[in-house]
Every structure is written in structure tokens, then in C-alpha cells.
Amino acid sequence: MKFLDRAKIYIKAGDGGNGAASFRHEKYIEFGGPNGGDGGKGGDVIFRAVPNVNTLIDYRFQTKFVAQRGQNGMGKMRTGYSGEDLYLPVPTGTVILSENEEIEYADLNTDGMEYKAVRGGNGGWGNLHFKSPTNRAPRQANDGLPGEERTVVLRLKLIADIGLIGFPNAGKSTLLSTVTSARPKIANYPFTTLNPQLGVMYAHKREFVMVDLPGLIEGAHTGVGLGDRFLGHAERTKLILHVIDGTEEDWSARYKAIRHEMDSYGGKLLDKPEIVIINKIDAVDTDVLKDRMDAFKKSFGRKKKPQIVQISAAGHLGIEEMINTIEKQMLEFK
């Protein structure tokens, strides 16, 4: 299934049914009087968060949704049926925004959570409501009110415990495939991951959902490369795994570049707990690896250093230590 994390759709609630203007017509009843019933209420449009769905692909081609109209009122004081509510299922984690994306209407971050986006119009009054001592045979009845309508933007922010970020070719996909059952595309060229990939990591009978975000590059917040829109999926994570390619000469420059893109994006990503993963250590000479690690640690100066773990995702080196470190960090959120 194709991944889609943003969609713009038009929604309209059902119009209310019209009231009826009718009179009693029964034998032996000379002055029957008005008996027109009210129109039914129009249906609402309601978004509902559903589990086990990780894409908005259903809203790619169908972009207009209209709830059922209320039934018109009828004689014999019969009220029309109300229109059925229209429920639109969306993945858990979907944010509903205004058309210009400046107003957040709802954040459906829990399974089963609902948001009534537009309300159906009320039904019109039948002529029975207009009967009075001075107007015993009213012929007027109200039309139903129109249902609310609006264009909204749906934006999906995946629900995950751990977010993998880093430059392209840092080995994030390999790491995901090593510690979970996910099978992302892995190749020796940049941007092999074009969409976020989810996997479940098991740590001593505990489960943590991990998401691999497409590689960032310097200038991503200005639209360079794949841009930074996938960082929205990191907003909900509890822990960031910052993966650095150990074969690169200047780890500090790579680290700061990604942190700058996170800062430019916002979303308080820099405030999240972080573990730095130095990957591909089996492809670097031991002395060179030590020198680079020393230089990397010195680059923080007096600032608090993040936890650093050295691994080789492809060679399965240091994986157990990394999982233990992640589990210890995640348990602090319980």
C-alpha cells in the first residue's frame, strides 16, 4: 500500500429536511387543522481514529465527502428521518487542520477517538408550529437549514516510541531490519528510504515501535533533498536515535547539521531524549575509530553529552548493548 501522510479534502454535513405544510383530511372532521411534521436533521461528518492503518491513501483520489440529507417532514405530524452520520476512518495519529493549516481542529492520537468536523443542518418546522388563535390554517413551513461545510487538511503523524534520524546512507534501514521484522529497501546509495518505515523492536519481552524516517541533509528545512516534512512523525516519539555513519571523518559536523535541521523544523524535537548511534564500526580501523570518538566527545565542550553507542547494524555488533540502552531509557517514561 502506498504511503500518504497528507491529504486535503472537502466535507459537507447533510442539509436539514424541509418542514411540511399539510392539513388533516378526514371524514366527519370539518376543521382538521394543520398537521405538517418537521424535517429531519442532516447527518454530521465525523472523523474516527482507527488502529492498524498507517496511511491516508484512501483520501488521495476521493476528496469530496457529503453526509446524508434529512428527510422532509410529512403529514399526520410525521417528522422526517434524520440523515445518517458519515464516519470517515483515519489512522491513529492524524491531525485535522484548517485549509491554510494555521488552525488545528483536532489531534486524533488515540484509537477510537472521534471529532465531529461539521454538523448537519436542523430540519425545518412544519406548519403545525405556526398554528395560533389568529392563524388557524397556516400554510407556511420552514426549509431545512444547510449543513456546515469546510475544506480540511489531514496530516498523519505516526505513533511510534523511537525515531531513527540521520543522513542518507547512515544505515538506518539496516538497523531497522536488524532489530525488527521490518524489511525496508536497503541499497548502497542515498535516499533508498522514501517513506517512513515502521517496525517493532523486542527487548526482554517488551515491545517498542520504531520508525525509520527518510534521510535528512543539510538545508532540508528549505526543501533540499526530501525536505523535512517527515520530521513530523518524530514529534510523537519518546526517544530519538541519531544514527551517524562511522566511516565519515567529521562526526561532529554531521551531528550538528542534523540537529540544525531539527531545530529549524521546530516541534520541540531538540528537547527529546537522544541516543547517538555510531554505525558501521567494523568498517573503520580501531585507532581511527578511537580518534574520531575522542574528537566527537570533545566537540560538546561543557555541554551535556548524549549517550553514545557504537554498533555495526550489518555485522550485528553492539546490538545487544544498544537494545539494553534503549530499554533503560524507555523505562524512564513509564
Side-chain angles (χ1 to χ4, degrees):
M1 180 182 292
K2 184 177 177 62
F3 180 83
L4 188 72
D5 64 354
R6 186 181 181 281
K8 180 184 287 188
I9 63 174
Y10 166 81
I11 53 176
K12 185 183 186 308
D15 297 334
N18 298 330
S22 66
F23 298 87
R24 292 181 65 181
H25 296 286
E26 299 178 43
K27 194 174 183 180
Y28 306 122
I29 299 179
E30 184 177 1
F31 302 104
N35 70 346
D38 300 338
K41 176 184 174 297
D44 303 325
V45 177
I46 302 170
F47 289 98
R48 176 184 289 165
V50 296
N52 304 321
V53 178
N54 296 315
T55 177
L56 293 169
I57 191 64
D58 291 340
Y59 301 100
R60 180 178 183 183
F61 299 108
Q62 184 178 355
T63 58
K64 182 178 180 179
F65 299 88
V66 181
Q68 189 178 42
R69 182 183 184 277
Q71 186 182 30
N72 292 337
M74 295 164 282
K76 299 183 180 180
M77 296 181 289
R78 289 177 295 174
T79 299
Y81 290 112
S82 295
E84 290 187 9
D85 294 336
L86 177 61
Y87 286 88
L88 298 180
V90 294
T92 301
T94 299
V95 179
I96 303 171
L97 305 166
S98 60
E99 184 175 9
N100 59 10
E101 302 187 39
E102 293 182 357
I103 303 173
E104 180 179 307
Y105 295 131
D107 184 355
L108 306 183
N109 55 20
T110 305
D111 290 345
M113 190 174 177
E114 295 181 353
Y115 169 64
K116 186 180 294 184
V118 285
R119 298 177 182 274
N122 290 328
W125 280 355
N127 65 341
L128 180 64
H129 283 277
F130 298 97
K131 179 181 177 181
S132 71
T134 58
N135 187 9
R136 296 184 178 183
R139 296 186 177 276
Q140 68 182 106
N142 288 345
D143 291 337
L145 296 178
E148 297 177 341
E149 57 184 319
R150 66 172 53 151
T151 298
V152 297
V153 172
L154 308 179
R155 186 179 178 194
L156 173 60
K157 297 179 181 179
L158 294 173
I159 305 294
D161 299 306
I162 304 165
L164 292 173
I165 65 169
F167 272 88
N169 263 16
K172 301 187 303 299
S173 296
T174 303
L175 176 56
L176 182 71
S177 67
T178 299
V179 299
T180 74
S181 297
R183 291 296 174 262
K185 182 179 180 180
I186 300 173
N188 190 27
Y189 56 83
F191 300 115
T192 53
T193 301
L194 299 178
N195 296 301
Q197 303 289 325
L198 286 170
V200 178
M201 183 186 78
Y202 296 92
H204 304 101
K205 297 184 179 181
R206 295 183 178 88
E207 298 181 1
F208 303 113
V209 179
M210 183 178 290
V211 57
D212 173 18
L213 303 176
L216 292 170
I217 61 175
E218 197 164 356
H221 69 281
T222 64
V224 177
L226 297 177
D228 65 354
R229 72 186 183 95
F230 291 117
L231 278 179
H233 301 292
E235 289 184 43
R236 299 191 188 278
T237 59
K238 299 176 181 178
L239 176 67
I240 297 292
L241 292 190
H242 190 151
V243 184
I244 296 177
D245 184 349
T247 63
E248 295 285 345
E249 293 185 7
D250 194 341
W251 299 350
S252 177
R254 310 291 274 186
Y255 176 80
K256 290 178 180 178
I258 295 297
R259 296 283 288 182
H260 174 69
E261 297 305 322
M262 294 169 63
D263 187 35
S264 299
Y265 173 84
K268 299 182 179 180
L269 295 183
L270 292 186
D271 297 335
K272 292 184 177 293
E274 176 188 52
I275 298 175
V276 176
I277 306 296
I278 306 299
N279 193 19
K280 306 181 184 180
I281 59 172
D282 54 348
V284 184
D285 182 77
T286 304
D287 293 334
V288 174
L289 187 67
K290 182 179 181 305
D291 291 341
R292 290 177 181 175
M293 178 61 73
D294 291 341
F296 183 56
K297 290 181 177 180
K298 287 181 181 179
S299 67
F300 289 95
R302 295 184 178 180
K303 296 180 182 178
K304 183 179 178 180
K305 300 179 182 64
Q307 296 184 76
I308 304 173
V309 180
Q310 301 181 57
I311 70 164
S312 170
H316 294 261
L317 300 176
I319 299 300
E320 189 64 29
E321 178 189 353
M322 182 195 72
I323 291 176
N324 291 337
T325 303
I326 291 173
E327 182 184 26
K328 182 179 179 181
Q329 181 69 65
M330 293 298 296
L331 287 176
E332 295 181 6
F333 300 111
K334 301 297 183 182

